Structure formats: structure tokens, C-alpha cells
Amino acid sequence: MKKLQGAHLRKPITPDLLMTPSDQGDVDLDVDFAADRGNWTGKLDFLLSCIGYCVGLGNVWRFPYRAYTNGGGAFLVPYFLMLAICGIPLFFLELSLGQFSSLGPLAVWKISPLFKGAGAAMLLIVGLVAIYYNMIIAYVLFYLFASLTSDLPWEHCGNWWNTELCLEHRGSKDGNGALPLNLTCTVSPSEEYWSRYVLHIQGSQGIGSPGEIRWNLCLCLLLAWVIVFLCILKGVKSSGKVVYFTATFPYLILLMLLVRGVTLPGAWKGIQFYLTPQFHHLLSSKVWIEAALQIFYSLGVGFGGLLTFASYNTFHQNIYRDTFIVTLGNAITSILAGFAIFSVLGYMSQELGVPVDQVAKAGPGLAFVVYPQAMTMLPLSPFWSFLFFFMLLTLGLDSQFAFLETIVTAVTDEFPYYLRPKKVVFSGLICVAMYLMGLILTTDGGMYWLVLLDDYSASFGLMVVVITTCLAVTRVYGEKSRGRQSRALCSGRTGVYPRAPQYLGPWSQGPGFPVGAAGGGEGLLALVGPAGGAIPPPLPCAGIQRFCRDIHMMLGFKPGLYFRACWLFLSPATLLALLVYSIVKYQPSEYGSYRFPPWAELLGILMGLLSCLMIPAGMLVAVLREEGSFWERLQQASRPAMDWGPSLEENRTGMYVATLAGSQSPKPLMVHMRKYGGITSFENTAIEVDREIAEEEESMM
């Protein structure tokens, strides 16, 4: 025995389990790896993509209207409070999940296959939204091309689409500033241009009889999909470059419109109407609900876009800083957009001699009727009209990039070996399919279908998805991983976690230090714990603690009490209140004076319920795939997959050691030391995290 031990000391042996693939030479690991997933190629790609995704059409045509109808400047109080309670924490949560795993909305549920239905629900929601959102971009393109004239086509009456009610509402004041005509019985040229020429809605009897396809809208929709496809052709490598223009240029145009607006006569009248605080509105629950809804939909939480973008980050990207930059930047942009819009509306109300509230609208009514009409009252009206619609185009394209990238990434991550090498073809097929499904929106009655999709596709279903995600992360995240016991091959024991403070010792000496040189296989014992003692199971703790520990591993610090309190209680409770409110205050869809028939309402409700039903359906599938009793199946389905964790081996420490397919070393820090020649601050963080795990294990002994 002594001879054998002496021979071992004379020639240190590195166990195969501790060797990296490069140490073992040309060894066939029998593992086929998919094509490279890709990453952002520039430092600002991710940040600008998130800004472009969040700052969209809603900042221009929804926030200003919601602000003035819910207390003006007083609305900012619940707005920023809801931003702190819901917006920032949920934004950071989704970014953290994506960056930690480098996976899309479907594959990220390796964390707990029981909740994979939430990922499928995300895809359904974002798919429905992408179909009608690109139709809005098609409308913007239509107006953009129509602005390339010396006289805007919606400036005058007398065209074939105008009726006898058409009246040019401009410059018709008398000496006292009062209008000699009653405008309530008339229609502006811009309104008839939108409804009777662009939509040709008079050719439809309702949602049940959509009428014929409008070839000009059909071509605009085709162009919109071609633009989107070309920009996502190479995934984030191409879209990450496009956003340098599409995410920044709208701010230049918005600044130009703001400067032009505030210099118009009557502009202060609109701004005063926009921001005059009416604090008695704060006593109404409706105001707080409206603020939460604006934050929820403006930041795009729950659609999977944030998770997808973060999945292309490097493991240590500072998403904590990026969270505050994007969320606060989004809020400030909404406020600035309100100044730009209401300054022009104030000028318009003075020109027409009517109160501001009679010209202020929200949604498409603002973008395609009121603001275009205001442009006709300005000198160089085609120029300002072109700038306005070009701003809307760039705002809309950024969000559409995110929607398509979310769908493509989610499916290719689920089937990487088949689809990732053919991602371009798959992206093209998705665009073609969605274009064909969106053709009904180009018909005479297409606006009815667009309103139905807008009202139901991302309503209560999206809230259920986000609530489910919060509960899964805070309650279930990081349960003992199934199959991970088999990775403790070096000991033959059933422990889950390697004992970090013990196995880090020899390798902290520097690269090339012979493992086991301390004698008698001590390096191997350092991996499996003290001789004769099995590694204890992990301390049972809430999912939020494990989630914070993983963020610590990734960013170098743990989220504070503010984030933990919001994730555990405040954010889910607020979303639950929103869900209950939306159900209690349910109102049937309508467009103008048209009321949707009962079958259309039922179709919309089923559309929202389908995304909700995907969650229990996914749970059923996950449970049926397991073995044992129902409770055992449920437990197994709620545990992470064996390969859950950081995508790169050098980032996998502690409980994530040697859980990748083909992994040859349970010590990823060796990769770092071979690569960089030492231990970085992030490796020190990993050591600290592993030490916390070991201390919890020892407390259980």
C-alpha cells in the first residue's frame, strides 16, 4: 500500500473528471453541439434595443391622453409609484432570467418544466400582437408616402371620398374668436380621409362582412414585413445595428416637433391642459389602475422581448444599471411626447376656437386624424407630416423587431440542432405566415378585426402570464435538480452541491497546479467532501433566495430588500388587482358608433383565455412525462433540468458545476485561469456564492 502511495506521489495524476476537453486531447465526447447562438456585437446594442422596444407608439398616442384624463400633472404621482412597484422590478426580473440562462421564452423554463406553458402563452400573445402591430406600421407607411406631396391629401374637401358633411376646419373664426358654424354636425377632411379612403370602412357592414382587400394597404403591409425581415435577417447581429438609428432618430424628430409645437400660438393652452394637476382624481381607483396599465404595457413586460434580448448578453452584463436607464428613460420620453402632442393640440384648439378636450384623442384617432389635421395648419405642412410619420415608423419598427426576434429565438432554442443553422429561412417563413394571417386586416372591415385583436390578445392573458412567472421564480426557482446527483460521480454519494471552500483550495494556487499533488488523492477528496461523510442536501429555502444567489453569481451583488419585496408580494398583488379590475369593469369592444356582435366578443374572450389555458395544459404535459405517484410527478416536474444554468462552462460554479452535456470538468474556474492567467472579481464572487452554499449545508449537519 505504501509503495502504491509513493508511486502516486512521484507522478501526480489528474482524474479524468477534473480535466478540461483540451487536457484530454482528441477525445470524442459523443456530443453534437448546435450552431453558435450569437451575441450582441456592440456595447450599446442591447441597451438601444431595449429602449427601442419599450419606447413605442403607446408613448405618443396613449400616455398623453391618459395623463390629461386622469388628473393631468397629478397623474405622475401614481405613474411613478407604479413604475417603482411593478415596472422596474418586473423589468429586472425578466432581464435576469434571460441573461443568466441565455435561453428564449420557451427553453428558459428548464428552470421548472411545470411552468413551461407560461412560455407557450407568451409566444401566442406576442404572435397575435405582431400580426396587428405590423398593420399599424402599414398605416404609417401609407401616410408617409401620402406626405410626399406639395399639398396633403387630407387638407381639403372635394375629393371623391368626401361627403356633404365634410368641412375644412381651419381659419374660420370671427372677430371675437368664435366659430360661426356648428362643427358638431360636420366632419373634418382628415377624418374622412382616414375612414373613407385609407380604411374604406364604408365598404364593410361590420366585422362579419370584411369586404374586399385594399390593394394599397396590402402592399404597405407587404413592405412592412419585408423591412422587418431584412432587419432581423441575421438575428441580433443585424437588428442590433439597425437600432442605432431607429432607437435614436425618433428623439431627434420628437425634439424638432417639441420645439416647433411650443413656439406656436396657443401652445401653452394645450400644455396647461395637459399638466394642470387635479389632485382630487387621486382618490379614484381608476387613476391608479390606469397608471399601472400604462407602465405594464409601455415597458413590454411579459411579452418575452426583454428576456430574449437579455439572453444574447454576456454573462456579466450590468443589467441592473440598464434596467434603470431604460425604465426611467421610457417614462421621461412619455412625458416629453405629451408636451409635443399637446402643444400642437393647443394651437389647433385656438385656431378652431374650441376647447382642447374636443380635439384631444387617443390611439389611432390621434395619430391618423387629429395630428394630421393639425399638420395642415402649419407652414410646410408636408415636411412636418413626413417627420411625424417617420417618427412613428421608427418607433413601431423597434417593437416589431423584438416581437419577431422573440418568436424566432424561442422556437430555435427549443429545436437548436434543426433550426439554428437555418434561422434565416425559418425567420422568412414566420414573416410570410404572419403576413398571410394579417391580410384580413387589409380589407374594408379590417379595422374591426384590428380593434378586436388589440382589445383581447394581450389583455388579461398577459397579466396571468406575468403573475405566474413571479410565483414560479419566488416560490419554485432552483429546487434540487433532478439528475444532478448523478453528476457527483467522483464520490459515488448522493449529495447535490460540491463543497466549494474545499475544492477551490488547490486550484486557487494558479494555473498548472497539479490536482492531487498534496498526496493520497487529497484533491479528489477535496471535491467530494470529508472522507466518510456524505455531502448534505441543500438547505430548503424560498425560490427568491436561490434566484438572488444566482443574480449574485452573475452581477457580483444580491438584489436588495426593495426588489425582493416587490417580487414576493407588491408586484404580483398589483397585477392581481389589475386582473380583477379588468374583469369587473369589462366593457364590450367598440369602434366609433359600431358595437361588436356577441359572437365577436366571445371570440375575443376565447382568444384571451387560450393563452391562460396554456399554463395548466403545460403543467399537465409536464406531469404526464414523469413517473411515479402524482405527488412524485409534480415534484419532479417542478425541479430544474440537469443542464439548467449559465450556458458557458466557465460561468458554472457551485451547484451548476459539471451539469452541461459533454462537460469534463466540475471546476469551470480552470477555464478562466487558463484563459486569463488568474482569478477575476467575478470568480471571487463565484467563490463567495459557493461558500454561502457550503455554510448552509453545514448548518444542516
Side-chain angles (χ1 to χ4, degrees), residues 407-580:
I407 297 171
V408 172
T409 297
V411 181
T412 53
D413 281 352
E414 194 69 9
F415 307 100
Y417 305 103
Y418 304 102
L419 295 180
R420 198 169 287 169
K422 302 175 182 178
K423 191 174 182 178
V424 175
V425 177
F426 180 66
S427 300
L429 292 176
I430 292 292
C431 290
V432 170
M434 289 195 165
Y435 169 69
L436 294 177
M437 288 187 284
L439 285 179
I440 193 172
L441 304 178
T442 66
T443 60
D444 295 336
M447 177 53 66
Y448 299 131
W449 287 96
L450 190 146
V451 170
L452 191 71
L453 285 169
D454 186 38
D455 286 348
Y456 292 101
S457 62
S459 56
F460 55 88
L462 184 63
M463 298 180 196
V464 171
V465 168
V466 178
I467 292 173
T468 303
T469 303
C470 280
L471 295 178
V473 169
T474 56
R475 269 75 180 179
V476 184
Y477 186 98
E479 290 288 345
K480 186 191 298 184
S481 177
R482 48 188 165 172
R484 194 166 285 162
Q485 291 90 339
S486 62
R487 285 291 182 176
L489 298 176
C490 50
S491 67
R493 300 185 176 97
T494 59
V496 178
Y497 298 144
R499 300 294 298 277
Q502 293 168 321
Y503 72 69
L504 289 174
W507 284 325
S508 63
Q509 304 286 333
F513 190 91
V515 178
E522 184 178 342
L524 185 59
L525 287 176
L527 266 173
V528 300
I535 300 175
L539 180 67
C541 59
I544 188 66
Q545 292 177 294
R546 292 184 286 264
F547 183 55
C548 291
R549 179 187 295 154
D550 285 349
I551 293 177
H552 187 192
M553 179 195 307
M554 181 171 61
L555 301 182
F557 60 89
K558 285 186 177 181
L561 179 62
Y562 157 66
F563 281 101
R564 295 199 299 271
C566 289
W567 290 335
L568 277 170
F569 175 73
L570 293 178
S571 296
T574 304
L575 291 177
L576 187 60
L578 286 178
L579 180 61
V580 173

Side-chain angles (χ1 to χ4, degrees), residues 637-671:
S638 64
R639 293 171 181 167
M642 187 179 64
D643 58 345
W644 162 256
S647 62
L648 298 180
E649 188 174 352
E650 59 259 37
N651 295 323
R652 303 176 78 92
T653 61
M655 63 180 289
Y656 298 108
V657 164
T659 56
L660 280 177
S663 175
Q664 294 298 300
S665 170
K667 191 63 206 90
L669 297 190
M670 291 181 66
V671 181

Side-chain angles (χ1 to χ4, degrees), residues 8-42:
H8 178 73
L9 289 173
R10 287 193 301 271
K11 187 177 180 180
I13 298 175
T14 303
D16 289 343
L17 185 62
L18 307 183
M19 298 175 66
T20 63
S22 59
D23 293 330
Q24 295 193 12
D26 299 329
V27 178
D28 185 10
L29 298 177
D30 295 327
V31 178
D32 295 325
F33 293 98
D36 183 23
R37 190 173 185 271
N39 290 97
W40 300 107
T41 56

Side-chain angles (χ1 to χ4, degrees), residues 108-168:
V108 75
W109 290 104
K110 287 181 179 180
I111 179 71
S112 181
L114 187 67
F115 295 94
K116 193 170 185 177
M122 277 185 184
L123 287 192
L124 175 62
I125 292 172
V126 78
L128 293 173
V129 171
I131 291 173
Y132 81 81
Y133 201 86
N134 224 26
M135 189 65 229
I136 298 176
I137 295 177
Y139 292 144
V140 172
L141 286 171
F142 191 99
Y143 272 82
L144 189 69
F145 295 139
S147 301
L148 299 175
T149 59
S150 57
D151 293 318
L152 295 175
W154 56 84
E155 185 173 358
H156 304 289
C157 297
N159 302 290
W160 65 263
W161 58 82
N162 294 126
T163 65
E164 296 178 354
L165 297 176
C166 181
L167 177 66
E168 297 179 17

